[in-house]
Amino acid sequence: MTATAEAGKAVRRPPVAHRTGLEDLARRVVFWALGQIRGGELTVRLPEGTVRRFGDGDGPSVSATIHSEDFFRRIATGGQIGLGESYVAGDWESDDLPGLFELLIRNAEWATQRKPFSTLVRLKALRPHLASSNDETRARKHIAYHYDLGNDLFELFLDPSLAYSCAYFEHEGQSLEDAQQAKMRRLCEKLAIGPDDHVLEIGCGWGGFAIHAAQERGARVTGVTISRAQHDLARERILEAGLADRVEILLRDYRLVEGSFTKIVSIEMFEAIGEKQFGTFFATCDRLLADGGLIGLQTIAVPDQRYARTRRNRDWIREYVFPGSLIPSLTAITHATTRSSRLVVHGVEDIGICYAETLQEWRARFSARLDDVYALGYDRRFVRIWDYYLATCEALFRTHSLRDLQIVLTRPLNSALPRYPSPRLTF
């Protein structure tokens, strides 16, 4: 069996659905909640063949088919996580999975403002929370769970740069490849990266940004990753591009990096480090940043008002796709920066709406290559995990329930900052 197939089998399996006596209650709660839908219509076909319709019809129409009573059993015991587990198990389908979740997300947000839901949300926010540790050993394990699944898998649906982060779509009809290059170009412009710079990229992935910064801006780049699979392929790509004299890829935890860098870039790595490491991240960046330097941090973020809820609650993505992760808010980032470093925020741009289109592209490419996915040794359970992951994330970004921020940080009194900053820098 290939290493790829072994990695796929290591992905967590949903638990068996057991009878608990709560199935009828779960069914009533589900139907009551669906009965509150507005701004669209949801048609549900039940296991016994009956069809029920919910919503006011004032918006998009989507449908779902529940194949098994195990759907209600998993909802009864797992709630939101049980919903994802039941999809992975094949208990239900939808003709438009992202559209279904967009409808449900918009209505869930509306429901949280009404009693008794608003009271329940406030009470849950008072629960104590113990942040999980993400030391070097655990961080490597968590990263390997997702990013060491196999380079061949990611090559099936990513663009040729292998950028596994939000692209920047500048106009309708722009290709994913062009939009990914636009994302890298914007970061380089915001940081004024040029031939005199030595750039540190924390979480360099498969080397896409490092190659861009070296080829397009003439910079020297040191990239670090703790994924063995990413490290090995990134080094191969650097050699193929003829950039070995300008780009170095290290298999190293960012906390162990030494030296001084004029620019530091980190693209959607911050979410993986866990809340206990927020301060460590910025303290490390402060230690490594040369005088007059700039930092470009791109990270997924939740709206500030939802951060307390996010950090306390378990969710399906953290359980099945990105263990050890925690999506920050802008306020959590600025608080950690202030407490642990001399750094200040110089500019912020929210490009999150572009992530909906990025994820839509990834999911279409993934679906079009299912035969190749299976040929690599992945099974139906794995495919449904990824289908659910990509679809739900697309809906979350399309509804602005998640953001994607490009943040520029520096130290006070930095005379190297432009007198007339780009209007795209701060929104």
Side-chain angles (χ1 to χ4, degrees), residues 62-73:
V62 295
S63 66
T65 300
I66 300 174
H67 299 296
S68 169
E69 291 295 330
D70 284 349
F71 170 84
F72 298 104
R73 297 184 182 112

Side-chain angles (χ1 to χ4, degrees), residues 201 365 384:
E201 186 183 6
R365 290 163 175 248
R384 290 183 71 85

Side-chain angles (χ1 to χ4, degrees), residues 213-235:
Q215 285 183 334
E216 303 298 326
R217 312 291 290 200
R220 188 157 59 100
V221 184
T222 297
V224 296
T225 177
I226 56 175
S227 165
R228 168 63 71 178
Q230 288 188 332
H231 167 269
D232 292 348
L233 182 55
R235 292 190 66 181

Side-chain angles (χ1 to χ4, degrees), residues 170 181-194 209 212 217 263 294 349 406 408 418 421-422 424-425:
E170 300 169 303
Q181 292 299 314
K183 179 266 301 295
M184 299 175 196
R185 185 168 59 249
R186 287 173 74 81
L187 277 170
C188 287
E189 289 172 353
K190 290 175 180 182
L191 302 184
I193 291 175
F209 177 83
H212 177 96
R217 312 291 290 200
K263 307 291 166 60
L294 293 170
E349 181 181 4
Q406 285 190 347
V408 177
S422 164
R424 298 186 305 183
L425 183 64

Side-chain angles (χ1 to χ4, degrees), residues 18 50 70 79 101 111 118 130 137 192 205 214 252 271 285 293 354 385 391 426:
H18 294 290
T50 59
D70 284 349
F101 278 104
S118 59
L130 295 176
T137 301
R252 186 171 302 171
E271 308 92 317
C285 288
C354 294
I385 286 175
T426 305

Side-chain angles (χ1 to χ4, degrees), residues 110-156:
W110 171 73
T112 58
Q113 308 305 315
R114 303 173 62 212
K115 292 185 177 180
F117 291 104
S118 59
T119 302
L120 179 62
V121 169
R122 288 196 297 272
L123 289 174
K124 289 179 71 175
L126 298 176
R127 292 187 308 172
H129 166 73
L130 295 176
S132 60
S133 174
N134 223 358
D135 57 24
E136 293 174 35
T137 301
R138 193 166 296 177
R140 288 181 185 276
K141 179 180 179 181
H142 289 158
I143 291 299
Y145 178 89
H146 188 88
Y147 293 96
D148 286 356
L149 283 169
N151 294 329
D152 291 343
L153 171 70
F154 291 97
E155 288 173 335
L156 291 179

